[in-house]
């Protein structure tokens, strides 16, 4: 008798968007990855240092094609059901290195950000916790079709927020992060497992609202 095999674990790329050794956001990415693995996900932990690429230049792209780092990041994203970015805040906005990586990867067809779910988190020594940078990061991701989870997590005073074992010293914040991760995984699972759910996503005023499912930006 034929039986349906159980679905495999959700695959989540967790990306630390900082190059600095000892980065607070690398530590936060590791903690988020641990929480997701504890929730049954297959976690692919990475940092932007793994994907070196030059500044985006259309002439360079035409002459040499896409850099290996952009192709590697594309492949890791493409194999994932969802992704997490732990990003620092530079001057109340997105780090240039991260924006550059998004710009390069978005040139690949089909670009991998479309219809992926993303959770954005940040850590900073400041009292804002890097939150302004996350709001800026939503703009290019949502333009590319990413479904950015509404509940972002920003860790203020991050330089004194971690315990020796990598958890958050504030048990209330630890619980809130765990709840955020759990809620995000539940949403991703519903989207990946229950394909009968019809999705309607509208991005531009010119979208045909009578269409069953609207195609989002790929170009």
């Amino acid at each position: 008798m034929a039986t349906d095999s159980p679905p495999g674990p959700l695959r989540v790329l967790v990306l630390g968007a900082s190059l600095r050794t000892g980065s607070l956001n690398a530590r936060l990415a590791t903690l988020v990855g641990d929480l997701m693995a504890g929730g049954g996900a297959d976690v692919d932990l990475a940092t932007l240092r793994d994907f070196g690429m030059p500044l985006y230049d259309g002439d360079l792209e035409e002459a040499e094609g896409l850099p290996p780092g952009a192709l590697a990041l594309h492949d890791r994203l493409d194999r994932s059901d969802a992704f997490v970015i732990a990003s620092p805040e530079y001057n109340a906005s997105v780090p240039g290195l991260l924006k550059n990586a998004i710009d390069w990867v978005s040139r690949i067809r089909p670009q991998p950000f479309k219809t992926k779910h993303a959770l954005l988190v940040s850590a900073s020594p400041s009292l804002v916790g890097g939150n302004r940078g996350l709001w800026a990061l939503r703009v290019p991701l949502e333009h590319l079709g990413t479904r950015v989870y509404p509940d972002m997590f920003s860790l203020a005073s991050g330089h004194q927020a971690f315990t020796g074992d990598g958890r958050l010293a504030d048990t209330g914040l630890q619980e809130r992060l765990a709840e955020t991760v759990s809620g995000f995984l539940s949403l991703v699972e519903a989207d990946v497992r229950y394909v009968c759910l019809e999705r309607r996503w509208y991005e531009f005023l010119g979208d045909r609202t009578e269409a069953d499912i609207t195609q989002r930006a790929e170009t």
Side-chain angles (χ1 to χ4, degrees), residues 32 35-36 119 149 176-186:
V32 170
L35 290 170
M36 290 192 161
L119 173 64
Y149 194 60
R176 184 186 160 231
L177 178 60
E179 290 172 359
T180 299
V181 166
S182 177
F184 176 70
L185 288 178
S186 294

Side-chain angles (χ1 to χ4, degrees), residues 14-19 23 25-26 29 45-49 84-88:
V14 180
L15 180 65
S18 177
L19 298 180
S23 162
N25 284 280
L45 186 63
T47 75
L48 278 182
R49 189 178 289 278
V84 179
I85 298 179
S87 176

Side-chain angles (χ1 to χ4, degrees), residues 6-27:
L10 295 175
R11 297 159 298 177
V12 184
L13 173 64
V14 180
L15 180 65
S18 177
L19 298 180
R20 185 175 65 85
T21 302
S23 162
L24 295 175
N25 284 280
R27 297 177 72 179

Side-chain angles (χ1 to χ4, degrees), residues 11 35 71 102 111 128 137 170 201:
R11 297 159 298 177
L35 290 170
L71 294 171
I102 292 171
Q111 58 90 355
V128 180
L137 179 56
D170 186 317
W201 293 79

Side-chain angles (χ1 to χ4, degrees), residues 140-164:
L141 291 176
E142 290 182 332
H143 169 75
L144 291 168
T146 303
R147 298 164 184 174
V148 181
Y149 194 60
D151 191 7
M152 303 182 294
F153 181 88
S154 294
L155 180 64
S157 302
H159 59 298
Q160 53 190 13
F162 292 93
T163 63

Side-chain angles (χ1 to χ4, degrees), residues 2 4 18 27 29 33 44 57 61 90 95 107-108 114 119 137 142 177 179 193 197 208 216:
D4 293 332
S18 177
R27 297 177 72 179
D44 180 10
D57 180 339
E61 179 186 6
Y90 289 178
R107 299 293 296 168
I108 302 172
K114 182 189 175 201
L119 173 64
L137 179 56
E142 290 182 332
L177 178 60
E179 290 172 359
R193 308 292 188 224
L197 295 178
R208 295 189 301 111
R216 305 199 81 191

